[in-house]
Amino acid sequence: AIAAVGSLSASVVTELQNNARAMLGGDAEVSLTARPADDAELSYFLSTADTVSTVRDLRSMARNTDGAVMLVELKGVDDLYPLFGQMALTPSQDIAAALAIRDGVAGAVAEAELFSRLGLDIGDRVAIGNIEVELRAVIGIEPDRTAGVMALGPRLMVSAATLDASGLVRPGSLIETKYRFALDPAADPALWLENLNAAFPQAGWRASEYTSAQPALQTFVDRLATL
């Protein structure tokens, strides 16, 4: 039993280490609630990281053409998403292509629960905010999904431009903006984060790097191994 637990915990730790960047979404991440980064912060990000990707999360309502509504975890992603890891969609396609505008209609992808609860199929449309989007795929794997808080609804993912067009991004909106960073391979993410926080001590953001991206899960694994 002791050997089995030790082997299990070692396997979980190895899996965490191998997929840590994908789970976090980058070498490092800065998360802000209710505000985006200001010009000085953005300038620092762009001057010290190789690549910067932006993801925005909020809760909203999705409505089908019959008027049925459902709470969703809405996510707006840029063209760089995901920096690490791969999306798995059914039918298989590139995430950027799935979210692109076709014939004047923006695309979206969603978890299977949204399709089943609202009676939707691929090609159907749902309304979010002021616009309608066309559902083009079912999400099988969202690499950074485990890095977020407990979900209250299924994921609905759109492009950053589509989220802006929805009218849901406005003063007072409870939006979490996440900046994901791909750093120079020779850089130490922990040191980079330390320097970032020192440069902006009053920023009020939550910042993490991939080696400590899942502290709760790591604590669970450590406790399991000592039982």
Side-chain angles (χ1 to χ4, degrees):
I2 292 173
V5 169
S7 177
L8 173 62
S9 63
S11 297
V12 172
V13 168
T14 299
E15 188 68 15
L16 282 174
Q17 292 172 340
N18 290 341
N19 296 285
R21 285 183 176 88
M23 293 169 67
L24 181 65
D27 288 317
E29 178 191 80
V30 164
S31 178
L32 287 158
T33 301
R35 77 167 181 94
D38 61 29
D39 290 343
E41 292 162 347
L42 283 173
S43 179
Y44 187 96
F45 296 164
L46 294 169
S47 64
T48 59
D50 282 358
T51 308
V52 182
S53 176
T54 305
V55 172
R56 288 175 292 175
D57 291 308
L58 68 153
R59 293 189 175 101
S60 184
M61 304 302 294
R63 184 177 66 256
N64 69 9
T65 54
D66 295 328
V69 297
M70 184 177 186
L71 179 68
V72 296
E73 301 282 346
L74 185 61
K75 183 173 185 174
V77 301
D78 63 15
D79 292 340
L80 297 171
Y81 179 85
L83 279 183
F84 295 93
Q86 296 290 327
M87 288 284 295
L89 302 174
T90 303
S92 181
Q93 57 194 293
D94 179 75
I95 181 62
L99 303 184
I101 294 176
R102 300 178 192 166
D103 299 322
V105 181
V109 297
E111 290 181 319
E113 183 185 357
L114 180 67
F115 287 85
S116 61
R117 293 280 297 276
L118 292 183
L120 298 167
D121 293 311
I122 299 296
D124 288 343
R125 297 183 183 184
V126 293
I128 53 169
N130 301 327
I131 64 172
E132 285 189 340
V133 295
E134 182 181 68
L135 295 170
R136 296 184 179 150
V138 178
I139 297 174
I141 296 175
E142 181 184 350
D144 54 333
R145 181 66 156 163
T146 56
V149 296
M150 181 182 67
L152 298 181
R155 170 71 74 218
L156 177 63
M157 188 181 297
V158 298
S159 72
T162 299
L163 181 59
D164 287 335
S166 72
L168 296 171
V169 180
R170 54 183 182 266
S173 298
L174 191 59
I175 298 174
E176 186 176 18
T177 304
K178 300 175 182 178
Y179 298 91
R180 273 82 179 269
F181 309 100
L183 305 178
D184 185 296
D188 179 347
L191 178 59
W192 184 87
L193 211 57
E194 182 180 333
N195 292 335
L196 171 67
N197 288 326
F200 300 96
Q202 305 300 320
W205 52 42
R206 295 190 308 277
S208 57
E209 44 87 17
Y210 77 93
T211 63
S212 59
Q214 301 291 331
L217 185 54
Q218 183 65 63
T219 298
F220 169 77
V221 173
D222 292 342
R223 288 176 178 173
L224 177 65
T226 58
L227 291 178

